[in-house]
Amino acid sequence: MDRLGRPCVHLTVLSVVYALFVVEVTCGGLGVAELSLNGVWALRNSNGSLSLSAGVPGCVHTGLQLHGVIEDPYYRFNDLAYRWISLDNWTYTVSFPFKRAVLVFEGVDTVSTISLNGVIIGKTDNMFRRYDFEVAGLLKDVNILEVWLMSAVTYASEKRQAHTAYSVPPECPPVVQKGECHINFIRKAQCSFSWDWGPSFPTLGIWKDVRLESFDTLRLLSFVPSPKYDTVLSGWTVEVELFFDVAVASKGIVLLSVPQLQSAAKFQLSLMPGQSNASFVLHISQNVTVDLWWPFGHGQQPLIKLLIDISIEGGETFHIAFRTVELVQEPILESPGRSFYFRINGQPIFLKGSNWIPAHAFQDQVTADRLTQLLVSAQMAHMNVLRVWGGGIYEQDLFYSLCDQLGIMVWQDFMFACALYPIEQDFIQSVREEVTQQVRRLKSHPSVVIWSGNNENEAAIADNWFSIPHEQRQHYVNDYVHLYVENIRQIVQQEDSTRPFLVSSPTNAVESEKEGWVAHNPYDPHYGDVHFYSYVTDCWDWRKFPRTRFASEYGFQSWPSFSTLRKVTVPADWDFGSNFSSHRQHHNLGNIQMLLQALLHYILPNNTDPVQRYRDNIYITQVMQAQCVKTQTEFYRRSRSDIVEGKGHTMGALYWQLNDIWQAPSWSSIEFGGKWKMLHYWAVRFFSPLITVGVEDNGDFLLYAVSDLNVDCILKVKLYRWNSFTPQCSLESDWTKVKGGGVTQMFQCPVSKLLTDCRKCTRHTCVVIFDVSGQGDVVRSPTNYLFLSSPQDAEGLQKPKITQILRNEKSCLQKYSTLSD
């Protein structure tokens, strides 16, 4: 990933209302006998020198580690030492008793040939697809199932070599990432070949469930309930799509009912042999009140039972949740361009959150507890959205169910990132099946509010990341349009009319479409969403940030804590100049950039004890990161109501990134293992429903209240000397109405006058502290501050004497244990 007008008189609103609800299966499959093939399989490499047992779901790396063949792959330099695993080919084998059925592989990683009783039944080449194989005629009393896995690295290289017509960049990742090449030629997690925050572990394995499904008449492949709000009838409907694999022509009855909403309907069902589907619409009674699903911080997340009864096979019970979503892009008075914001249930919502990457390089290690801890941590920081980034994976079902329950909206990328891609027919066909399966799997979740075709690929073409000659540019634009518009977008709009679709991120959205889907400048702050990174400018200067409509990526690196690093290091590694520190830093010049940014405002650690200096350096990177992201996020939140030089009306702030994939420097606010960095503690404050933001502008001290709530507030401002807990001066404002969903200026005063009135303070001796609160402190913002000079110039600072008390309280997971039930 690279980190790098007059108003219209006639307002044409380019917004569409979408509605959705979630389903959650609470009983077994419909009339299908299932034999799970999860469990212990035999595993061997290509020459048979290694033969052992391995778990399914799982991958080769974790199987080898379980048997002690390898150590912790995350330890020190093991990502390089164990490269041989990904360059070999591997075979999984299992035996099972006779059943008449279809073999179902929910996920194979990635390129495989599958045989049953010595007969090849199929091949796989897409990590993100489910594969079904007819096997009835091949079954015996005892059956041998083999999955031969080809090295993903070798496969990608061979595909690249076979693509002789023209190059499809990038060829390889930057050298600093220590990764493998040609990831864009294989439908596999793009970050598994390395990224600027992650290791190169091109895994092989059976990473999702395997089972045998037997049936005589038919089996239900999938069900997709979708509520829609009918603006003509001013009422809700629930469309239920049922997809079947039919052995014998069948007729029956489908009963749909939502008892809580006093709504039910009966339908005739007629199915022909083969792949068959049927769609039914249930009208929700207008005599009842429908409780809506809201993002966290704006209301509740009610789940309502939907019953589907199919007379041929039996019934199912699901939970549904109703909500509408709009992506509004409309002209703005006094500004060129268009707005870009989300309305949920008719209410504009400022999106507060972060970006999500895979929680582990080996997905079988991602437990329910790990997911729950990370998502609850996001909610505890008042986040209402996470963007599932396009270089990882479509997350497991539990992730989306937890987001439904927690009120965390999901911006869902399709899995394409920072690259161009081939458009051969077999590649396109595999992608089409991938997209169809994933949309049908996820569209019932109310948390998913938008689809996005890719991460930064429009920008890659527009900014010519790969140095494509001008005369060849249109060829790559055509490929881009063919993949993302003529295929992915077409499928999404066909499969899901309940939520918006963007072709890329960042993008100018409707303006990009006008320019042939690749805008001249996809980072134009007058349109769409923006990714912004700058490591050389002073991150404390809010004037350096773009006043964009929506900030979907921004951030700064830091190192994880010493307690996290010491689990995968030895004392020789505990130095910023060590080989380990260089090896784990996958962002070019990242270590020096962190220290140079810190040097602008802090005195760098100079302890004579090298280990303590190492720990101090880690600490100062986290302080720097937290202050930088705080400043930028507060700027975006207070830009919600602003139009300055035609820019503003910012309606989203998603910093990069929430979580880590291993123990290394990154942009995350939560370390691998779940420990919060300083940034995450600060996110609890700067994402709070009510905050105060103080800035200095042209010599004036300005204070703003930014609120999600309607509240009457009073502002309190205090000046403290650096060496005293007693305020030197204080003041209070009159009561002021602060409007929810807006920004209210509470105070303005020249800094010189503020210091003159408080004679005991200068820029170097004092810091300004402030907050706002409602009647009786029922509503109160977190205390905030403004430095009048850099801390390195502060006068009177003293070393603190802090006593630490540990209490044995319930853990986050214990408190929220019911979420994963």
Side-chain angles (χ1 to χ4, degrees), residues 382-421:
H382 306 285
M383 295 184 188
N384 59 24
V385 66
L386 290 172
R387 173 173 172 252
V388 177
W389 169 74
I393 63 168
Y394 307 95
E395 278 297 333
Q396 58 181 273
D397 292 340
L398 177 61
F399 174 90
Y400 301 95
S401 295
L402 289 172
C403 287
D404 293 339
Q405 296 175 60
L406 292 168
I408 297 175
M409 294 177 285
V410 174
W411 173 312
Q412 179 66 55
D413 281 1
F414 288 97
M415 295 301 119
F416 302 85
C418 301
L420 306 183
Y421 290 85

Side-chain angles (χ1 to χ4, degrees), residues 64-85:
L64 294 176
Q65 184 182 3
L66 183 65
H67 284 275
V69 178
I70 63 173
E71 297 178 340
D72 180 1
Y74 281 179
Y75 184 71
R76 301 195 76 209
F77 308 96
N78 281 349
D79 53 315
L80 297 184
Y82 297 153
R83 186 170 178 261
W84 60 270
I85 298 170

Side-chain angles (χ1 to χ4, degrees), residues 13-18 325-329 343 497-500:
V13 179
L14 295 179
S15 63
V16 183
V17 179
Y18 305 90
V325 55
E326 305 164 74
L327 176 58
V328 182
Q329 301 178 71
R343 272 201 300 245
S497 63
T498 65
R499 56 174 60 78

